[in-house]
Amino acid sequence: MTCRVQWCGLFGKGCVALCLLTLGLLVQAARAGADDELPASWVVDPYVEMRTQPGRGYPIFYIAERGERIELLRRRTDWIEVRTERGVEGWVHVDEVGRTVDGAGEPLGIRSPGREAFTERRWEFGILVGDYGSTDALTAYGGWHFTRNLSLELAATENFGDASDGRMLTGSVVHQLFPDWRYSPFVTIGGGVRETDPRATLVTVEDRVDNTASVGAGIRVHLYKRLMLRLQYKHYVVMTDRDDDEEVDEWKIGISAFY
Amino acid sequence: MENRHKRVLLTASLVAALLGAAPVAGQGVPTDVIDPQVERRDIDPAAIDSENIEVGIYAGMLSIQDFNSELVYGLRAAWHISEDIFLEASYGLSEGDLTSFEKLSGGAPLFEDAERDYEFYNLGFGWNALPGEIFLFGGRALKSDLYLFAGAGSTEFLDDRWFTASVGVGYRLLLNDWLAWRIDVRDHLFDRDTFGDSEITNNIELSSGFTVFF
């Protein structure tokens, strides 16, 4: 156990150092890409409002008029920083930029995410908390939707009990029955591995690694923009070396973001 | 005399003809006209540089309940989902020193050194409750956000793991388009039964760091 703690510490410190190094390189890479030719569009509304910062509460300090060409510098959440022909830079809401046109006269059509973005999401990431066999449990997961109904998910779970702690990695297939619904129910089936770590203060027992199989159901609810609420129940079968497999019920609630 | 007049007139008309010849000769050749085609270029909205990810490092002080305050350092990564909400993951390392009891009693230490390593992560959501602008350098306005954070995670300390809830408040100041400076105050709460009874411990982390947006 001590070994593991030390190893984790070392790993963590290495991680921090590595990230420090890569951070610099990352910034360089991000800056290098900024010199490429920028996408641009033409204003067709009477004007577009430019704000000092990306946010609805910031003051409008300038407008770009109809017919004016704007360069699209960067996007941050629902705001796009633009540069006018006169070199004035400011932030315009994505819905307004979506109504500007490209060289062919076609509106760009981009807009802030809503229900249709929820229906057509490709990726989702979330955090769930809840109860795994009467212990506190925490899950982080990511999912990839390869059709409107089906997605693949990978979840990492950690649970904290009085008798033992555990970590679990689960891969699953998720089928959402009605992708167009705001309240979208789903069923899921999966498998994975579980490491059970009996509390050291009790008796000296080896850590166990077992395979798991799981089945579950739940509901996702689109909340706002890229956020959704997720409620789920899963039933796990932990295939132990003992005579009986361990069966565990899990209830979770969480918030996820998608794009 | 007459010849001289003729010569002068001829020379003059020749010069005039030569001078006037160029535009006359040019009329027969098609000249360049301005291409009426406007630059045709379709835009892929994905080509717009999207900068919603924030990654950075931080360092500060962690006050471990029943222990002392120690250096803490770690990493943070956030995904800005909207101008109001962001999803954030943090990972940090610290180390607990002697407890007050160990210092006062002067006896054998209760824990081994390796057990005093304090390692934690948390995942949660931040809400930019008070977005603003500050004027630091003359007329230049810098974007700032005061945000609230709530999350859950795990703490590994004293050879055990604990489910940890984290709440806090932070301040982010964008120094330029991509670099931000942050200050965070967070309380990491977990139930610990190391000293017998199970008790909620408050472990307050005060930190500052830099993040980059990309």
Side-chain angles (χ1 to χ4, degrees):
Chain A
M1 176 69 79
T2 306
C3 248
R4 190 166 58 78
V5 174
Q6 277 176 333
W7 185 83
C8 281
L10 275 175
F11 174 73
K13 281 164 192 162
C15 239
V16 172
L18 194 73
C19 287
L20 268 166
L21 281 168
T22 50
L23 207 65
L25 294 171
L26 209 99
V27 174
Q28 288 298 319
R31 294 303 99 197
D35 294 334
D36 297 342
E37 198 184 351
L38 293 160
S41 65
W42 283 262
V43 179
V44 288
D45 280 350
Y47 59 86
V48 294
E49 294 175 337
M50 289 166 63
R51 290 171 197 269
T52 56
Q53 303 289 352
R56 60 188 176 279
Y58 291 105
I60 297 157
F61 73 105
Y62 198 79
I63 55 163
E65 293 175 354
R66 178 182 288 159
E68 209 166 333
R69 180 178 185 270
I70 52 173
E71 282 183 313
L72 311 175
L73 305 177
R74 64 175 62 80
R75 178 172 178 168
R76 192 162 288 169
T77 66
D78 283 344
W79 296 87
I80 294 179
E81 190 176 25
V82 307
R83 185 193 293 142
T84 67
E85 285 162 342
R86 294 181 183 184
V88 180
E89 291 178 6
W91 295 86
V92 179
H93 193 267
V94 66
D95 290 349
E96 284 191 70
V97 174
R99 292 195 297 270
T100 63
V101 298
D102 61 11
E106 288 292 319
L108 302 194
I110 46 176
R111 55 183 161 165
S112 59
R115 271 289 303 287
E116 73 292 336
F118 173 65
T119 307
E120 291 157 14
R121 70 190 182 280
R122 301 291 292 174
W123 298 90
E124 65 176 86
F125 300 96
I127 305 160
L128 306 164
V129 290
D131 178 281
Y132 173 91
S134 304
T135 63
D136 292 331
L138 172 71
T139 296
Y141 82 96
W144 170 58
H145 293 254
F146 58 98
T147 74
R148 274 162 61 87
N149 293 86
L150 291 169
S151 59
L152 291 177
E153 285 186 356
L154 190 66
T157 299
E158 186 162 11
N159 76 303
F160 310 83
D162 290 337
S164 69
D165 298 337
R167 281 160 296 285
M168 198 158 54
L169 202 62
T170 310
S172 32
V173 180
V174 182
H175 180 242
Q176 62 173 345
L177 309 168
F178 311 101
D180 295 329
W181 291 11
R182 185 182 171 202
Y183 295 83
S184 179
F186 65 85
V187 288
T188 175
I189 185 162
V193 286
R194 175 176 170 79
E195 183 192 357
T196 308
D197 180 10
R199 290 280 294 268
T201 45
L202 296 175
V203 278
T204 317
V205 190
E206 288 289 303
D207 291 3
R208 304 192 304 265
V209 178
D210 304 304
N211 290 326
T212 65
S214 59
V215 60
I219 190 166
R220 296 178 178 106
V221 184
H222 181 225
L223 292 177
Y224 155 82
K225 296 202 170 177
R226 294 192 186 279
L227 284 179
M228 61 188 180
L229 179 74
R230 179 167 167 142
L231 298 149
Q232 70 179 41
Y233 162 79
K234 273 192 179 185
H235 183 79
Y236 288 88
V237 177
V238 183
M239 290 167 253
T240 63
D241 295 337
R242 289 166 289 176
D243 293 342
D244 296 316
D245 288 341
E246 203 176 304
E247 300 207 18
V248 188
D249 292 316
E250 182 198 67
W251 296 89
K252 288 257 175 70
I253 183 170
I255 304 250
S256 311
F258 61 85
Y259 74 93
Chain B
M1 191 67 183
E2 202 176 324
N3 270 348
R4 213 173 65 179
H5 279 148
K6 276 182 186 169
R7 206 176 300 136
V8 169
L9 280 170
L10 274 170
T11 313
S13 57
L14 194 68
V15 169
L18 277 172
L19 284 173
V24 174
Q27 277 176 357
V29 182
T31 51
D32 289 341
V33 282
I34 295 161
D35 185 4
Q37 285 280 334
V38 183
E39 181 192 9
R40 269 184 84 99
R41 191 154 58 103
D42 297 338
I43 298 176
D44 176 10
I48 303 167
D49 184 18
S50 200
E51 297 182 356
N52 297 322
I53 306 289
E54 183 187 1
V55 176
I57 50 170
Y58 72 91
M61 222 162 56
L62 176 71
S63 163
I64 307 169
Q65 186 167 331
D66 299 323
F67 290 77
N68 56 335
S69 295
E70 281 288 333
L71 170 75
V72 61
Y73 58 94
L75 309 168
R76 287 198 208 291
W79 175 25
H80 291 260
I81 297 155
S82 74
E83 63 186 84
D84 306 306
I85 306 284
F86 58 94
L87 178 63
E88 188 176 89
S90 301
Y91 170 80
L93 291 167
S94 185
E95 196 176 1
D97 198 1
L98 297 176
T99 59
S100 306
F101 171 76
E102 286 170 307
K103 281 180 193 160
L104 292 171
S105 72
L110 296 171
F111 306 101
E112 289 174 30
D113 281 353
E115 290 176 331
R116 294 177 198 271
D117 286 341
Y118 188 109
E119 182 185 0
F120 65 97
Y121 72 79
N122 54 65
L123 309 163
F125 285 86
W127 171 45
N128 294 323
L130 295 172
E133 271 185 305
I134 67 162
F135 295 85
L136 259 193
F137 310 114
R140 189 165 154 71
L142 304 179
K143 178 173 163 57
S144 68
D145 292 297
L146 185 85
Y147 53 84
L148 303 176
F149 175 84
S154 163
T155 303
E156 185 164 349
F157 185 48
L158 305 179
D159 213 1
D160 217 329
R161 284 171 178 268
W162 322 88
F163 179 79
T164 308
S166 298
V167 289
V169 59
Y171 182 75
R172 180 193 305 109
L173 181 68
L174 270 104
L175 301 174
N176 61 20
D177 288 338
W178 54 272
L179 181 67
W181 173 55
R182 291 175 54 150
I183 309 171
D184 278 278
V185 184
R186 288 192 187 174
D187 189 7
H188 304 287
L189 297 113
F190 59 88
D191 241 342
R192 198 178 63 192
D193 57 0
T194 312
F195 301 122
D197 292 340
S198 181
E199 55 181 359
I200 293 176
T201 64
N202 286 273
N203 303 276
I204 298 179
E205 182 193 22
L206 177 64
S207 68
S208 179
F210 290 92
T211 53
V212 294
F213 277 82
F214 64 93

